[in-house]
Amino acid sequence: MADRRPAPLDIFSKLRSATPARIFLPRAGTGLTTRATLDFQLAHAEARDAVEERLDVEALDEELSSRGLAAVRVRSAARDRRGFLLRPDLGRRLDDESRARLKSAAGDYDIAFIIAEGLSARAIARHAIPVLDRALASLDPASWKIAPIILAEQGRVALGDDIGETLGARLAAVLIGERPGLSSPDSLGVYLTYAPRIGRTDAERNCLSNIRPQGLAYDEATRKLLYLCNEARRRRLTGVALKDEAETLASEELRSIDVKN
Amino acid sequence: MYGTTIRGTRYSFPDLKSLMAKATPLRSGDCLAALAATSAAERVAAQMALADLPLSVFLNEALVPYEEDEVTRLILDSHDRRAFALIASLTVGEFRDWLLSDAADEESLAALTFGLTPEMAAAVSKICRNQDLILIAAKRRVVTRFRNTLGLRGRLSSRIQPNHPTDDARGVLASAIDGLLLGNGDAVIGVNPASDSPEQCYELLRLLDELRETLNIPTQSCVLAHVTTTLQLMERRAPVDLVFQSIAGTQAANSSFGIDLALLRESREAALALKRGTIGDNFMYFETGQGSALSANAHWNCDQQTLEARAYGVARIFDPLLINTVVGFIGPEYLFDGKQITRAALEDHFCGKLLGLPMGCDVCYTNHAEADQNDMDDILALLAVAGVNYVMGVPGADDVMLNYQSTSYHDVLAVRRMLNLAPAPEFAHWLTDVGLSDAHGELLAQALPASFAPLLERA
């Protein structure tokens, strides 16, 4: 047997700082110590609570009106949380009453912002308004006709297609609570779809993910969103084609940096 | 038309695929597809009708049209009638009885392998209780080799899954070292790359290969990129041990993954030419999961469990080193809760083994499923009793890149100890040689072998 020596603690702590993964956990026999076990349980409990929580539409509506922003409230066809989880198709469709209400708000809009709780109402409660504030402040009102803000209960990403089509918006930006991770119960996602209509696929959207202070910061997320909005309008599309181009541009920038160095 | 009469009530099923779907134990994905039985009694009626069906029916009625699906063509064209002769006269129900009998042993089950179609395996699984799925699967071992020997009786292997949200080299290395110190990684050290960029994947391959070489570990590494990316990397002479790909049970679903059988054959040829395996030529690595065809709208109105078994029909012609179902990853609209995930895990393992695959399982769930780590403890223990080849070792069971929970390095240790299972023999020797385990194979607490020191200092 080869010789062994005790683990130098500084090396482990150095390694631990290289990843958010749960590494070098304290052991009790082959298992984890009580504290490490309960830490995990707490993280899972927070993620579960985030899934179960419902969006406080009232509070959000008030926040918007305090900014002078008109909002329209809608619901998907999913009646309750269980139905929402089991039937993704229902969460992608407006209920009849909501569709009627939206039709009366229809118009000629360049973009509609849709706030949907998705799988984390907590993400919406924490991050939707900060991102929306920044986005609205950066869009020139002279060239962007913005639809009333849509507040959608029990909505999935593709509900934005139904909403955008009913409203008559050329772009739909869906701010949605993402599926909670164990260490990220409040990640916000933004999905952008050009010419939204029922039947659009995910390949026809662009997505910004993990928006929260510990992930993609508000300012950076807004900068990327505006880039995508402008490009989507200019090229009249969203999705894989737009993403490829954005990545090509980015890698060309990188190559030119390589040459310079 | 199929059917049965129970106490005066007639239950009928228009075709074989609807009979199969209605006979399937309840799961949300079949409800979502509007294929499930509409009552508990109808489900059992379908199971009774299915049990009375001769196995040979599956050779005459394709669930997915032969003309339109290359997976169906593969399954029927490669069917071994001589091997099938052993069970050719049986019904599905009689086949279950035979599988439970002493006539079905390691040898006869191995001989039967290519006489069974995936649909036959799926059919018999539907009328098995969980206990049957465990008991029968435990009879069948499938052994594969690349740099070590996986799947032997009395062994449980694990994949180190050292994923990182941005593929950071130090972060991946740190998680991999933690796994090795905990006796994991004999199945593979395999990273899911956060980005499919060939450059990033190349860097990860080099990192893992260097780790393996430096520590002289008898195992293999893998970057689980799309097969087209891996093909490119092999052309550039990257150190590719295993070729990974997600696969499904219909041509249309595979097409949604950007693959077909020809592409898989091409990648297998390319990897074979590399001759990197030291003791064997199993080097394909596949992942599957119930519900993938439905989510790609490529399910031909077949139930998700039957289509999962058909994915194994694809896998087995490539002699994979590893294949695992990622059972609870897809979400509650396909497998709602711990009960459904458990059932699916046992079915997948059972069907995979009967079809001759070195079946592993990513025992896992997402946070919107009605499941928790206790369910994973149960599934892991059940699969280990059933003789699963390998499971995942994820740091603290928390995958910080893919955002789901699986089993941990520690879970692997616990099950090995509970059931007296050891790692692959070559790997077990290595653990002892470097000083991570004692002469009896027991892992030493907090050991840090001298050979790890240079690696740690560089990290």
Side-chain angles (χ1 to χ4, degrees):
Chain A
M1 192 192 295
D3 63 328
R4 287 178 287 117
R5 58 189 193 192
L9 286 176
D10 56 325
I11 287 181
F12 279 164
S13 65
K14 215 173 84 180
L15 279 175
R16 200 177 276 124
S17 71
T19 175
R22 293 166 197 260
I23 57 172
F24 304 122
L25 297 172
R27 278 170 62 186
T30 53
L32 298 181
T33 58
T34 302
R35 185 54 198 257
T37 301
L38 292 177
D39 282 347
F40 180 98
Q41 298 292 74
L42 177 62
H44 183 241
E46 284 179 334
R48 291 295 296 158
D49 287 346
V51 171
E52 290 300 324
E53 272 168 17
R54 299 301 314 279
L55 185 61
D56 187 345
V57 189
E58 202 70 45
L60 205 53
D61 203 349
E62 275 172 29
E63 273 208 68
L64 291 172
S65 61
S66 76
R67 288 163 162 75
L69 292 170
V72 180
R73 294 191 206 174
V74 298
R75 301 169 53 97
S76 79
R79 287 291 115 209
D80 53 24
R81 209 57 184 155
R82 190 183 162 93
F84 176 80
L85 290 173
L86 283 171
R87 291 284 305 273
D89 53 325
L90 298 182
R92 297 181 189 126
R93 228 174 46 220
L94 286 165
D95 74 355
D96 294 339
E97 194 195 328
S98 298
R99 181 171 290 108
R101 201 172 322 129
L102 263 190
K103 274 186 182 148
S104 65
D108 177 42
Y109 301 116
D110 291 306
I111 188 166
F113 287 94
I114 296 141
I115 299 179
E117 62 197 318
L119 286 165
S120 174
R122 199 173 290 192
I124 295 298
R126 290 182 185 163
H127 313 311
I129 294 285
V131 171
L132 189 65
D133 278 347
R134 284 167 173 77
L136 292 177
S138 330
L139 287 174
D140 178 6
S143 63
W144 287 88
K145 278 177 67 182
I146 300 168
I149 310 298
I150 309 300
L151 298 180
E153 287 182 77
Q154 305 277 28
R156 291 189 182 258
V157 170
L159 186 65
D161 297 341
D162 199 351
I163 293 174
E165 186 176 15
T166 310
L167 265 180
R170 280 176 287 280
L171 260 179
V174 179
L175 281 63
I176 193 164
E178 297 187 315
R179 191 184 85 199
L182 203 59
S183 315
S184 52
D186 64 341
S187 275
L188 181 78
V190 181
Y191 288 79
L192 196 67
T193 311
Y194 187 81
R197 56 177 158 75
I198 290 175
R200 287 276 184 220
T201 68
D202 287 343
E204 297 172 294
R205 313 182 200 286
N206 294 96
C207 166
L208 298 171
S209 186
N210 196 26
I211 301 171
R212 56 192 185 109
Q214 305 84 350
L216 181 58
Y218 299 148
D219 288 334
E220 179 67 4
T222 311
R223 198 185 62 75
K224 289 187 172 176
L225 178 61
L226 286 173
Y227 169 80
L228 288 172
C229 287
N230 284 317
E231 286 303 297
R233 185 155 79 160
R234 190 175 66 80
R235 299 197 46 203
R236 296 169 177 266
L237 57 82
T238 45
V240 178
L242 195 56
K243 174 173 168 265
D244 287 350
E245 183 157 293
E247 278 179 1
T248 309
L249 285 173
S251 65
E252 272 166 11
E253 275 168 39
L254 285 177
R255 267 202 294 280
S256 64
I257 291 168
D258 280 343
V259 173
K260 270 180 248 161
N261 290 346
Chain B
M1 179 72 85
Y2 301 90
T4 189
T5 303
I6 301 172
R7 289 197 277 278
T9 303
R10 181 70 192 166
Y11 294 91
S12 50
F13 310 95
D15 52 23
L16 190 53
K17 66 184 176 185
S18 72
L19 177 66
M20 290 281 273
K22 301 224 178 220
T24 307
L26 177 67
R27 66 207 58 200
S28 49
D30 292 340
C31 297
L32 181 63
L35 298 170
T38 50
S39 70
E42 190 193 19
R43 177 167 298 110
V44 179
Q47 289 170 342
M48 286 176 164
L50 183 60
D52 288 341
L53 220 57
L55 285 170
S56 56
V57 164
F58 292 98
L59 299 176
N60 302 322
E61 185 175 343
L63 302 193
V64 178
Y66 183 91
E67 297 73 20
E68 295 180 62
D69 186 280
E70 65 172 356
V71 176
T72 302
R73 291 196 289 277
L74 172 71
I75 289 167
L76 291 177
D77 295 350
S78 66
H79 181 248
D80 182 344
R81 290 218 167 237
R82 274 177 54 193
F84 180 63
L86 181 66
I87 55 166
S89 65
L90 303 183
T91 62
V92 175
E94 289 164 349
F95 181 43
R96 174 184 166 279
D97 296 343
W98 181 82
L99 287 169
L100 286 165
S101 78
D102 289 341
D105 57 16
E106 198 153 358
E107 204 178 325
S108 58
L109 286 174
L112 180 62
T113 303
F114 282 89
L116 267 186
T117 65
E119 288 84 352
M120 292 175 195
V124 74
S125 80
K126 292 178 195 298
I127 56 166
C128 283
R129 281 172 41 204
N130 286 4
Q131 186 184 74
D132 307 333
L133 297 176
I134 296 169
L135 189 65
I136 296 165
K139 299 182 185 195
R140 179 75 164 102
R141 299 305 310 205
V142 179
V143 177
T144 56
R145 294 179 180 85
F146 188 73
R147 288 198 192 93
N148 57 17
T149 311
L150 300 170
L152 294 168
R153 200 169 288 281
R155 308 276 168 173
L156 174 68
S157 297
S158 76
R159 164 182 162 194
I160 288 179
Q161 184 169 311
N163 295 346
H164 187 279
T166 60
D167 294 334
D168 178 80
R170 285 178 62 238
V172 169
L173 190 63
S175 290
I177 287 172
D178 189 29
L180 290 169
L181 292 176
L182 290 167
N184 279 243
D186 47 341
V188 62
I189 304 175
V191 180
N192 296 91
S195 143
D196 213 53
S197 110
E199 280 66 35
Q200 206 132 308
C201 293
Y202 200 130
E203 286 310 308
L204 286 170
L205 279 168
R206 279 221 307 243
L207 175 83
L208 296 180
D209 196 52
E210 196 182 309
L211 169 69
R212 183 187 59 76
E213 289 271 343
T214 306
L215 297 177
N216 199 21
I217 316 167
T219 190
Q220 35 282 330
S221 64
C222 186
V223 172
L224 286 74
H226 192 267
V227 65
T228 49
T229 305
T230 305
L231 262 171
Q232 267 184 52
L233 291 170
M234 286 192 283
E235 278 168 25
R236 290 169 53 187
R237 314 189 79 80
V240 172
D241 284 347
L242 307 184
V243 175
F244 170 81
Q245 183 54 45
S246 290
I247 57 170
T250 67
Q251 178 179 340
N254 283 327
S255 165
S256 82
F257 288 159
I259 60 159
D260 58 17
L261 297 177
L263 182 62
L264 293 176
R265 287 195 184 96
E266 181 190 345
S267 66
R268 189 175 189 283
E269 290 304 311
L272 186 62
L274 298 178
K275 299 192 186 306
R276 289 176 62 86
T278 50
I279 64 166
D281 271 339
N282 304 113
F283 47 73
M284 298 299 280
Y285 176 9
F286 296 117
E287 281 191 343
T288 62
Q290 291 190 24
S292 59
L294 175 59
S295 79
N297 197 25
H299 63 296
W300 291 94
N301 285 326
C302 290
D303 71 88
Q304 63 187 37
Q305 190 262 333
T306 298
L307 294 182
E308 173 71 5
R310 283 168 53 98
Y312 306 153
V314 172
R316 66 175 174 174
I317 64 160
F318 295 100
D319 299 321
L321 180 78
L322 305 168
I323 171 169
N324 59 264
T325 168
V326 192
V327 66
F329 186 75
I330 192 160
E333 63 268 41
Y334 299 90
L335 294 167
F336 184 67
D337 55 14
K339 186 184 174 80
Q340 294 183 8
I341 298 172
T342 305
R343 174 74 198 182
L346 295 176
E347 290 164 347
D348 293 354
H349 177 256
F350 168 91
C351 289
K353 281 284 170 69
L354 283 191
L355 293 167
L357 287 168
M359 210 60 201
C361 183
D362 187 344
V363 176
C364 64
Y365 64 108
T366 58
N367 286 319
H368 61 320
E370 198 65 40
D372 61 22
Q373 215 61 31
N374 289 325
D375 296 305
M376 303 307 109
D377 291 346
D378 296 350
I379 299 171
L380 180 58
L382 294 175
L383 284 174
V385 172
V388 71
N389 282 37
Y390 69 98
V391 294
M392 303 299 135
V394 175
D398 171 14
D399 190 307
V400 293
M401 198 278 281
L402 293 171
N403 272 327
Y404 76 117
Q405 285 92 253
S406 179
T407 49
S408 69
Y409 303 139
H410 303 81
D411 293 333
V412 171
L413 292 184
V415 172
R416 279 182 184 160
R417 180 172 281 192
M418 283 190 286
L419 296 172
N420 198 24
L421 301 170
E426 300 84 352
F427 192 84
H429 283 138
W430 176 80
L431 288 173
T432 309
D433 286 347
V434 297
L436 281 169
S437 61
D438 66 19
H440 308 289
E442 278 298 319
L443 210 66
L444 297 162
Q446 311 301 333
L448 183 65
S451 56
F452 277 58
L455 201 72
L456 291 174
E457 273 148 25
R458 249 185 303 148

